[in-house]
Structures are given as C-alpha cells and as structure tokens.
Amino acid sequence: MTNESYKNTLNAVNTMLEHINEYPIDTLEDLQSVLEAQRAFSVLEEIKDDVLAEGWDINTDDDWTMTPNLDGIIGVPSNILDIISTDGDVIMRDWKLYSKSNKTHKFEEAQTCKVIWNLDFNNLTHPLRKYITIKASRIFQKRYIGDATAFSLSQDEETMAKLSAKRSENRTGKFSMRTGLTTELSRS
C-alpha cells in the first residue's frame, strides 16, 4: 500500500476501533501488531467483499469477454466476486466457467458475461468507502462488544452512508429512469 492509499484503510480501521472504545492506531505496523486492529481489518475486508458483491457501477463490467485457453478452459481470475451470463447457462464452478446445458468446462468460443470485480478498499470512491466502513464498524461492534443500543444507533448512520453511496452511484452510472438499470440506449 502506498502512504496515501494506506491512510484510507487506517482511517477505516480507526473508525471501527472507535466504535468499540479502543485507541486508534498510527501505522501499518500497528495494524499488524494490535489484535483489535487485526480483527477490525479482517471485518473491513469481509464487509467490503459483501458490499462489492452487490455489483456497483465502479466494479461491474456488463459485457466482459472471456476467452478459452488452448484446452478450451476459461479460467476465472481470483479477483472476480460474481459472474452472470447473459443466457443463464454459463456459471462459475471450480474457478472456471461451466456450461450447465453441455455439462462441461470446455468452450470453443469466447463467452461474454457480466463480471463483478473485487477491488481494493483504497481504490473505491469516498462514499462507498464510508458506507463499507460504517457497516463494518456496526458488525465489528456487534461481534466484539454486543451492545444492542450502540448497534441500533449505528444502523441509522449506516443507512445514511448507504444512501450517500447510492447517490454517488447514480451520478456515475448509466441508468434508465424507468427501470433504474443500465440500458443499451444510455450507453451510446
């Protein structure tokens, strides 16, 4: 991590530590040596993956072409959270594309799928990082402290952060007012 991007992760972990009344950490070395910080970082990564798996404009490619190797296998990179085929036939199985109708991992042609990518926390937009941080803080607090009052108060904060992330998404995504989904017409 570079110093600048590392600050985003450090700030998120410190927000999470604050939610359980722990002292903040100052450096990446502290993140590696303070047990609560390690746990907070682990929850942050878990929640980031969960939130990104929803498929946001920043981490989704609608028409990603995947080409078979010489053996006809299309391997799936480990930074993909989900793959959705246009016809519903192709799925991910054993980190390879699999045709359900042909019951095989072998393909003769390239396959085009919607791909949801796992991105580094530090490469996300500020509204999305904030939403993930607040959600992770709430989960972290519930797991390690279990205070129901604090948990419910932070739900309101999480809702506001999610709305902010959705507003940001609406500014950058190409959506139809009627359906809320990306349309071919809006791409041109």
Side-chain angles (χ1 to χ4, degrees), residues 169-184:
E169 169 92 344
N170 289 336
R171 287 189 295 267
T172 61
K174 293 181 172 103
F175 301 97
S176 162
M177 289 180 65
R178 184 171 51 88
T179 64
L181 301 173
T182 305
T183 63
E184 291 304 314

Side-chain angles (χ1 to χ4, degrees), residues 16-160:
M16 295 170 70
L17 292 172
E18 181 183 301
H19 274 85
I20 64 165
N21 295 320
E22 288 291 332
Y23 290 109
I25 59 173
D26 296 320
T27 66
L28 187 58
E29 290 76 30
D30 290 343
L31 180 61
Q32 296 168 349
S33 63
V34 176
L35 181 61
E36 290 81 4
Q38 290 172 8
R39 289 178 176 167
F41 180 73
S42 177
V43 171
L44 180 68
E45 285 292 304
E46 172 192 344
I47 299 307
K48 175 197 61 100
D49 292 354
D50 289 349
V51 168
L52 289 179
E54 295 173 22
W56 297 73
D57 188 52
I58 192 172
N59 75 320
T60 302
D61 285 313
D62 289 324
D63 297 313
W64 190 262
T65 302
M66 303 177 84
T67 307
N69 64 18
L70 295 175
D71 296 325
I73 304 296
I74 301 176
V76 176
S78 62
N79 63 334
I80 290 181
L81 293 170
D82 202 2
I83 292 179
I84 302 100
S85 70
T86 53
D87 63 3
D89 178 53
V90 178
I91 60 171
M92 179 174 71
R93 184 179 286 174
D94 299 324
W95 292 100
K96 298 176 270 195
L97 291 190
Y98 178 82
S99 170
K100 294 189 300 185
S101 62
N102 296 327
K103 297 182 180 21
T104 184
H105 285 287
K106 296 203 178 212
F107 294 88
E108 293 179 10
E109 298 176 357
Q111 299 296 307
T112 302
C113 300
K114 177 178 181 176
V115 175
I116 299 175
W117 299 97
N118 190 0
L119 302 177
D120 184 88
F121 179 80
N122 297 300
N123 294 333
L124 302 175
T125 61
H126 172 75
L128 198 50
R129 282 193 320 265
K130 182 173 182 179
Y131 168 50
I132 291 166
T133 299
I134 298 304
K135 183 172 182 144
S137 294
R138 187 173 63 81
I139 302 295
F140 182 63
Q141 186 276 333
K142 182 180 181 189
R143 287 182 187 170
Y144 294 101
I145 303 297
D147 181 356
T149 303
F151 182 76
S152 65
L153 289 175
S154 63
Q155 278 183 311
D156 294 337
E157 190 177 5
E158 179 186 330
T159 300
M160 295 306 293

